[in-house]
Amino acid sequence: ILTNHPKLSWAYTKVWPKVIDRINVARAANLGVRRVCAKLSLAHEILLDGSLKLPAHIPHEVIIKGDEKIPVIAAASIIAKVVRDRTMLRLHKKYPQYRFDLHKGYGTKLHKSLIKQFGISDVHRKSFKIRNQK
């Protein structure tokens, strides 16, 4: 429903683990925002959630907890989650031992235990630290 809505333009991009490792998670998220903006022809001010940023010359507003307050930000969050979940299901086929189909790459106990058991794969961030795991 969201991706076919006539008043909603959307695009997505991926920032790969090697890039995240090199520039950090926050900068990688902002890189993703810039890439998406480049894909879209934007006629309105851009509304961003949380700590996301764009260069000053691009009209935008950052709204803390925007996904809870602004329907279009909530829609973007849902689309991003669905794209990520589908990506993780594809990765599960390539790396079934990591059970990406169950935890979608989030730092659950299962995910952490499988990383400890099998080590990190090409799709894991090398900079990710497993804490409090015995």
Short mmCIF file of all heavy atoms in Angstrom, two decimals, residues 67-109:
data_model
loop_
_atom_site.label_atom_id
_atom_site.label_comp_id
_atom_site.label_asym_id
_atom_site.label_seq_id
_atom_site.Cartn_x
_atom_site.Cartn_y
_atom_site.Cartn_z
N ASP A 67 9.22 9.28 13.61
CA ASP A 67 8.42 8.12 13.20
C ASP A 67 7.21 7.92 14.11
O ASP A 67 6.26 7.25 13.72
CB ASP A 67 9.27 6.86 13.13
CG ASP A 67 9.94 6.50 14.45
OD1 ASP A 67 10.07 7.36 15.33
OD2 ASP A 67 10.34 5.32 14.59
N GLU A 68 7.22 8.54 15.28
CA GLU A 68 6.07 8.47 16.19
C GLU A 68 5.12 9.65 15.98
O GLU A 68 3.97 9.60 16.44
CB GLU A 68 6.54 8.48 17.64
CG GLU A 68 7.37 7.27 18.02
CD GLU A 68 7.92 7.37 19.44
OE1 GLU A 68 7.48 8.24 20.21
OE2 GLU A 68 8.81 6.56 19.76
N LYS A 69 5.59 10.71 15.32
CA LYS A 69 4.82 11.95 15.23
C LYS A 69 4.33 12.29 13.83
O LYS A 69 3.31 12.95 13.68
CB LYS A 69 5.69 13.12 15.72
CG LYS A 69 6.19 12.99 17.14
CD LYS A 69 7.17 14.09 17.47
CE LYS A 69 7.75 13.93 18.86
NZ LYS A 69 8.79 14.91 19.13
N ILE A 70 5.08 11.88 12.80
CA ILE A 70 4.81 12.33 11.44
C ILE A 70 4.51 11.11 10.56
O ILE A 70 5.38 10.25 10.37
CB ILE A 70 6.04 13.10 10.86
CG1 ILE A 70 6.51 14.20 11.82
CG2 ILE A 70 5.75 13.64 9.48
CD1 ILE A 70 5.53 15.32 12.04
N PRO A 71 3.30 11.02 10.01
CA PRO A 71 2.94 9.84 9.23
C PRO A 71 3.90 9.50 8.08
O PRO A 71 4.20 8.32 7.87
CB PRO A 71 1.54 10.18 8.70
CG PRO A 71 0.98 11.11 9.73
CD PRO A 71 2.16 11.93 10.18
N VAL A 72 4.40 10.48 7.37
CA VAL A 72 5.28 10.17 6.24
C VAL A 72 6.63 9.60 6.73
O VAL A 72 7.22 8.75 6.07
CB VAL A 72 5.47 11.39 5.31
CG1 VAL A 72 6.35 12.45 5.93
CG2 VAL A 72 6.00 10.94 3.96
N ILE A 73 7.10 10.04 7.90
CA ILE A 73 8.32 9.46 8.46
C ILE A 73 8.04 8.04 8.94
O ILE A 73 8.86 7.13 8.75
CB ILE A 73 8.89 10.33 9.60
CG1 ILE A 73 9.33 11.70 9.05
CG2 ILE A 73 10.06 9.63 10.28
CD1 ILE A 73 9.83 12.67 10.11
N ALA A 74 6.88 7.82 9.53
CA ALA A 74 6.49 6.46 9.93
C ALA A 74 6.42 5.55 8.71
O ALA A 74 6.90 4.41 8.75
CB ALA A 74 5.14 6.49 10.66
N ALA A 75 5.88 6.05 7.61
CA ALA A 75 5.80 5.27 6.37
C ALA A 75 7.20 4.92 5.88
O ALA A 75 7.47 3.77 5.50
CB ALA A 75 5.03 6.03 5.30
N ALA A 76 8.11 5.89 5.90
CA ALA A 76 9.49 5.64 5.47
C ALA A 76 10.14 4.58 6.36
O ALA A 76 10.87 3.71 5.87
CB ALA A 76 10.29 6.94 5.50
N SER A 77 9.88 4.64 7.64
CA SER A 77 10.43 3.67 8.57
C SER A 77 9.92 2.26 8.28
O SER A 77 10.68 1.29 8.31
CB SER A 77 10.07 4.09 10.00
OG SER A 77 10.60 3.19 10.93
N ILE A 78 8.65 2.16 7.96
CA ILE A 78 8.06 0.85 7.64
C ILE A 78 8.67 0.30 6.35
O ILE A 78 9.06 -0.87 6.27
CB ILE A 78 6.53 0.96 7.52
CG1 ILE A 78 5.92 1.23 8.92
CG2 ILE A 78 5.92 -0.30 6.90
CD1 ILE A 78 4.48 1.68 8.89
N ILE A 79 8.78 1.15 5.33
CA ILE A 79 9.36 0.72 4.06
C ILE A 79 10.80 0.26 4.28
O ILE A 79 11.21 -0.80 3.78
CB ILE A 79 9.29 1.84 3.00
CG1 ILE A 79 7.82 2.07 2.60
CG2 ILE A 79 10.13 1.49 1.78
CD1 ILE A 79 7.60 3.32 1.77
N ALA A 80 11.56 1.02 5.04
CA ALA A 80 12.96 0.65 5.31
C ALA A 80 13.05 -0.69 6.03
O ALA A 80 13.90 -1.53 5.70
CB ALA A 80 13.64 1.74 6.13
N LYS A 81 12.17 -0.92 6.98
CA LYS A 81 12.17 -2.18 7.73
C LYS A 81 11.85 -3.36 6.82
O LYS A 81 12.50 -4.41 6.88
CB LYS A 81 11.17 -2.09 8.89
CG LYS A 81 10.97 -3.38 9.66
CD LYS A 81 11.92 -3.48 10.81
CE LYS A 81 11.58 -4.63 11.73
NZ LYS A 81 12.19 -5.90 11.33
N VAL A 82 10.86 -3.19 5.95
CA VAL A 82 10.48 -4.27 5.04
C VAL A 82 11.62 -4.56 4.05
O VAL A 82 11.94 -5.73 3.79
CB VAL A 82 9.16 -3.94 4.31
CG1 VAL A 82 8.87 -4.95 3.20
CG2 VAL A 82 8.00 -3.91 5.31
N VAL A 83 12.25 -3.51 3.51
CA VAL A 83 13.38 -3.71 2.59
C VAL A 83 14.50 -4.46 3.32
O VAL A 83 15.08 -5.41 2.79
CB VAL A 83 13.87 -2.36 2.02
CG1 VAL A 83 15.22 -2.51 1.33
CG2 VAL A 83 12.85 -1.78 1.06
N ARG A 84 14.80 -4.02 4.53
CA ARG A 84 15.87 -4.70 5.31
C ARG A 84 15.52 -6.16 5.58
O ARG A 84 16.35 -7.05 5.41
CB ARG A 84 16.10 -3.96 6.63
CG ARG A 84 17.15 -4.65 7.49
CD ARG A 84 17.15 -4.11 8.91
NE ARG A 84 17.83 -4.99 9.81
CZ ARG A 84 19.15 -5.01 10.01
NH1 ARG A 84 19.92 -4.19 9.36
NH2 ARG A 84 19.69 -5.86 10.86
N ASP A 85 14.29 -6.41 6.01
CA ASP A 85 13.89 -7.79 6.31
C ASP A 85 14.01 -8.68 5.07
O ASP A 85 14.47 -9.82 5.16
CB ASP A 85 12.46 -7.84 6.85
CG ASP A 85 12.35 -7.32 8.28
OD1 ASP A 85 13.39 -7.01 8.89
OD2 ASP A 85 11.21 -7.21 8.77
N ARG A 86 13.61 -8.17 3.92
CA ARG A 86 13.72 -8.95 2.68
C ARG A 86 15.18 -9.19 2.32
O ARG A 86 15.53 -10.28 1.84
CB ARG A 86 12.97 -8.25 1.55
CG ARG A 86 11.46 -8.31 1.74
CD ARG A 86 10.73 -7.56 0.67
NE ARG A 86 9.29 -7.64 0.89
CZ ARG A 86 8.40 -6.88 0.29
NH1 ARG A 86 8.80 -5.96 -0.60
NH2 ARG A 86 7.12 -7.00 0.54
N THR A 87 16.02 -8.19 2.53
CA THR A 87 17.45 -8.35 2.29
C THR A 87 18.01 -9.44 3.20
O THR A 87 18.79 -10.30 2.76
CB THR A 87 18.20 -7.02 2.53
OG1 THR A 87 17.71 -6.05 1.61
CG2 THR A 87 19.69 -7.18 2.37
N MET A 88 17.62 -9.42 4.46
CA MET A 88 18.12 -10.42 5.40
C MET A 88 17.63 -11.82 5.04
O MET A 88 18.36 -12.80 5.23
CB MET A 88 17.71 -10.05 6.84
CG MET A 88 18.29 -8.72 7.33
SD MET A 88 20.06 -8.51 7.06
CE MET A 88 20.73 -9.74 8.14
N LEU A 89 16.43 -11.95 4.51
CA LEU A 89 15.95 -13.26 4.07
C LEU A 89 16.77 -13.77 2.89
O LEU A 89 17.07 -14.97 2.80
CB LEU A 89 14.46 -13.20 3.71
CG LEU A 89 13.52 -13.00 4.90
CD1 LEU A 89 12.09 -12.79 4.42
CD2 LEU A 89 13.61 -14.16 5.87
N ARG A 90 17.17 -12.86 1.98
CA ARG A 90 18.05 -13.27 0.88
C ARG A 90 19.42 -13.68 1.42
O ARG A 90 20.01 -14.67 0.97
CB ARG A 90 18.18 -12.15 -0.15
CG ARG A 90 16.96 -12.02 -1.06
CD ARG A 90 17.19 -11.11 -2.24
NE ARG A 90 17.54 -9.76 -1.89
CZ ARG A 90 16.66 -8.80 -1.59
NH1 ARG A 90 15.37 -9.06 -1.59
NH2 ARG A 90 17.06 -7.59 -1.29
N LEU A 91 19.92 -12.93 2.39
CA LEU A 91 21.22 -13.28 2.98
C LEU A 91 21.16 -14.61 3.72
O LEU A 91 22.16 -15.34 3.78
CB LEU A 91 21.70 -12.17 3.92
CG LEU A 91 22.18 -10.90 3.21
CD1 LEU A 91 22.48 -9.81 4.23
CD2 LEU A 91 23.41 -11.19 2.36
N HIS A 92 20.01 -14.94 4.28
CA HIS A 92 19.85 -16.23 4.96
C HIS A 92 20.10 -17.39 3.99
O HIS A 92 20.68 -18.41 4.37
CB HIS A 92 18.46 -16.34 5.58
CG HIS A 92 18.18 -17.71 6.12
ND1 HIS A 92 18.83 -18.23 7.21
CD2 HIS A 92 17.35 -18.69 5.68
CE1 HIS A 92 18.40 -19.47 7.44
NE2 HIS A 92 17.50 -19.76 6.51
N LYS A 93 19.69 -17.22 2.74
CA LYS A 93 19.90 -18.28 1.75
C LYS A 93 21.39 -18.49 1.48
O LYS A 93 21.82 -19.61 1.25
CB LYS A 93 19.15 -17.96 0.46
CG LYS A 93 17.65 -18.04 0.62
CD LYS A 93 16.93 -17.64 -0.64
CE LYS A 93 15.43 -17.68 -0.40
NZ LYS A 93 14.67 -17.16 -1.53
N LYS A 94 22.15 -17.41 1.53
CA LYS A 94 23.59 -17.51 1.28
C LYS A 94 24.36 -17.95 2.52
O LYS A 94 25.38 -18.63 2.43
CB LYS A 94 24.11 -16.16 0.79
CG LYS A 94 25.55 -16.19 0.37
CD LYS A 94 25.97 -14.88 -0.28
CE LYS A 94 27.42 -14.96 -0.73
NZ LYS A 94 27.87 -13.73 -1.36
N TYR A 95 23.88 -17.52 3.69
CA TYR A 95 24.56 -17.80 4.97
C TYR A 95 23.55 -18.41 5.96
O TYR A 95 23.24 -17.82 6.98
CB TYR A 95 25.11 -16.52 5.58
CG TYR A 95 26.08 -15.77 4.70
CD1 TYR A 95 25.65 -14.71 3.91
CD2 TYR A 95 27.44 -16.09 4.69
CE1 TYR A 95 26.55 -14.00 3.11
CE2 TYR A 95 28.33 -15.39 3.90
CZ TYR A 95 27.88 -14.35 3.11
OH TYR A 95 28.77 -13.66 2.33
N PRO A 96 23.03 -19.62 5.69
CA PRO A 96 21.96 -20.18 6.53
C PRO A 96 22.39 -20.40 7.98
O PRO A 96 21.55 -20.36 8.89
CB PRO A 96 21.61 -21.50 5.84
CG PRO A 96 22.79 -21.83 5.01
CD PRO A 96 23.40 -20.52 4.60
N GLN A 97 23.68 -20.61 8.22
CA GLN A 97 24.14 -20.89 9.58
C GLN A 97 23.92 -19.70 10.52
O GLN A 97 23.87 -19.87 11.74
CB GLN A 97 25.61 -21.31 9.58
CG GLN A 97 26.61 -20.22 9.24
CD GLN A 97 26.89 -20.06 7.75
OE1 GLN A 97 26.04 -20.34 6.91
NE2 GLN A 97 28.08 -19.60 7.43
N TYR A 98 23.76 -18.50 9.99
CA TYR A 98 23.57 -17.31 10.84
C TYR A 98 22.10 -17.03 11.17
O TYR A 98 21.82 -16.15 11.96
CB TYR A 98 24.19 -16.08 10.18
CG TYR A 98 25.69 -16.15 10.13
CD1 TYR A 98 26.35 -16.50 8.95
CD2 TYR A 98 26.45 -15.89 11.26
CE1 TYR A 98 27.73 -16.58 8.91
CE2 TYR A 98 27.84 -15.97 11.23
CZ TYR A 98 28.47 -16.31 10.04
OH TYR A 98 29.83 -16.39 10.01
N ARG A 99 21.19 -17.75 10.55
CA ARG A 99 19.74 -17.65 10.84
C ARG A 99 19.22 -16.22 10.72
O ARG A 99 18.43 -15.75 11.54
CB ARG A 99 19.41 -18.24 12.21
CG ARG A 99 19.71 -19.71 12.35
CD ARG A 99 19.17 -20.60 11.21
NE ARG A 99 17.79 -20.36 10.85
CZ ARG A 99 16.78 -21.13 11.20
NH1 ARG A 99 17.02 -22.21 11.92
NH2 ARG A 99 15.55 -20.85 10.83
N PHE A 100 19.65 -15.53 9.66
CA PHE A 100 19.14 -14.18 9.41
C PHE A 100 17.63 -14.17 9.22
O PHE A 100 16.99 -13.14 9.40
CB PHE A 100 19.81 -13.57 8.18
CG PHE A 100 21.27 -13.24 8.36
CD1 PHE A 100 22.21 -13.68 7.45
CD2 PHE A 100 21.70 -12.48 9.44
CE1 PHE A 100 23.55 -13.37 7.60
CE2 PHE A 100 23.04 -12.17 9.60
CZ PHE A 100 23.97 -12.61 8.68
N ASP A 101 17.04 -15.32 8.88
CA ASP A 101 15.59 -15.41 8.73
C ASP A 101 14.88 -15.24 10.07
O ASP A 101 13.72 -14.81 10.10
CB ASP A 101 15.19 -16.75 8.10
CG ASP A 101 15.62 -17.96 8.93
OD1 ASP A 101 16.73 -17.93 9.54
OD2 ASP A 101 14.86 -18.95 8.97
N LEU A 102 15.56 -15.50 11.17
CA LEU A 102 14.93 -15.40 12.49
C LEU A 102 15.15 -14.05 13.16
O LEU A 102 14.23 -13.52 13.77
CB LEU A 102 15.45 -16.51 13.41
CG LEU A 102 15.13 -17.94 12.99
CD1 LEU A 102 15.74 -18.92 13.97
CD2 LEU A 102 13.63 -18.14 12.87
N HIS A 103 16.36 -13.52 13.09
CA HIS A 103 16.66 -12.30 13.86
C HIS A 103 16.93 -11.09 12.98
O HIS A 103 17.09 -9.99 13.49
CB HIS A 103 17.84 -12.54 14.81
CG HIS A 103 19.07 -13.01 14.11
ND1 HIS A 103 19.81 -12.21 13.29
CD2 HIS A 103 19.65 -14.24 14.08
CE1 HIS A 103 20.82 -12.91 12.81
NE2 HIS A 103 20.75 -14.14 13.27
N LYS A 104 16.98 -11.27 11.68
CA LYS A 104 17.16 -10.19 10.69
C LYS A 104 18.40 -9.35 10.94
O LYS A 104 18.46 -8.19 10.54
CB LYS A 104 15.92 -9.28 10.64
CG LYS A 104 14.59 -9.99 10.46
CD LYS A 104 14.49 -10.69 9.13
CE LYS A 104 13.11 -11.20 8.82
NZ LYS A 104 12.67 -12.34 9.60
N GLY A 105 19.39 -9.92 11.61
CA GLY A 105 20.65 -9.21 11.81
C GLY A 105 20.70 -8.32 13.02
O GLY A 105 21.69 -7.65 13.27
N TYR A 106 19.62 -8.29 13.79
CA TYR A 106 19.64 -7.49 15.02
C TYR A 106 20.42 -8.25 16.09
O TYR A 106 20.52 -9.47 16.05
CB TYR A 106 18.21 -7.17 15.48
CG TYR A 106 17.52 -6.23 14.53
CD1 TYR A 106 16.56 -6.68 13.64
CD2 TYR A 106 17.86 -4.87 14.51
CE1 TYR A 106 15.94 -5.81 12.75
CE2 TYR A 106 17.25 -4.00 13.63
CZ TYR A 106 16.30 -4.48 12.75
OH TYR A 106 15.70 -3.62 11.87
N GLY A 107 20.95 -7.54 17.05
CA GLY A 107 21.83 -8.12 18.05
C GLY A 107 21.14 -8.94 19.11
O GLY A 107 21.32 -8.68 20.30
N THR A 108 20.39 -9.91 18.70
CA THR A 108 19.72 -10.80 19.66
C THR A 108 20.73 -11.77 20.25
O THR A 108 21.84 -11.93 19.75
CB THR A 108 18.60 -11.60 18.97
OG1 THR A 108 19.20 -12.45 17.99
CG2 THR A 108 17.56 -10.69 18.31
N LYS A 109 20.31 -12.48 21.30
CA LYS A 109 21.18 -13.51 21.88
C LYS A 109 21.53 -14.57 20.84
O LYS A 109 22.67 -15.03 20.77
CB LYS A 109 20.52 -14.15 23.10
CG LYS A 109 20.49 -13.28 24.32
CD LYS A 109 19.85 -14.01 25.49
CE LYS A 109 19.79 -13.11 26.70
NZ LYS A 109 19.20 -13.80 27.85
#
